[in-house]
Amino acid sequence: MSTRQRRMIIHHLVRCCILGAFGLYIVSLTRSGTLLLFVEPNLAVAVKLSAIGLFATAIYQLQAAVQQWQGVDPAACDCNHEPPRSLLANLLVYALFLLPLVFGLLHG
């Protein structure tokens, strides 16, 4: 397995975890009845439905990681782009998504 394949597997798995965590966070806010503290009541249904989209996208990222692990390049359609090579750039990009999630979990 090449270094590029390992890097892409890690990126797909990190994306899967972040998307799944946001979906789970929306579900937990809904179950606890605190979703309306964060969103407009008229948008509550749309936010709840967005959790389904987040889970679907997380499953797609997991599937892409598995395909990459099996040696099949999921980017064969040329619709994907390479993540930055810099570790600092990757940490910054993923931190932008993780920071709101962490603050939300610490708040509740």
Side-chain angles (χ1 to χ4, degrees):
M1 183 177 301
S2 71
T3 304
R4 180 191 174 277
Q5 282 179 309
R6 277 189 239 115
R7 278 185 53 242
M8 291 307 297
I9 290 169
I10 291 169
H11 283 286
H12 287 302
L13 291 175
V14 168
R15 293 171 187 167
C16 173
C17 290
I18 291 172
L19 292 165
F22 270 109
L24 288 173
Y25 184 58
I26 291 171
V27 169
S28 71
L29 288 176
T30 301
R31 290 181 61 109
S32 68
T34 57
L35 181 65
L36 296 179
L37 296 174
F38 296 95
V39 299
E40 166 71 29
N42 293 334
L43 294 176
V45 173
V47 171
K48 291 175 187 177
L49 291 174
S50 73
I52 296 170
L54 289 166
F55 288 133
T57 309
I59 290 169
Y60 171 78
Q61 290 295 321
L62 181 62
Q63 179 213 14
V66 169
Q67 283 182 342
Q68 195 78 216
W69 182 68
Q70 293 173 341
V72 179
D73 190 8
C77 66
D78 203 26
C79 56
N80 203 358
H81 65 86
E82 289 285 324
R85 287 206 177 273
S86 165
L87 178 63
L88 183 61
N90 286 315
L91 288 175
L92 182 65
V93 169
Y94 290 131
L96 289 174
F97 290 94
L98 285 173
L99 202 58
L101 187 62
V102 168
F103 285 150
L105 291 174
L106 290 176
H107 181 268

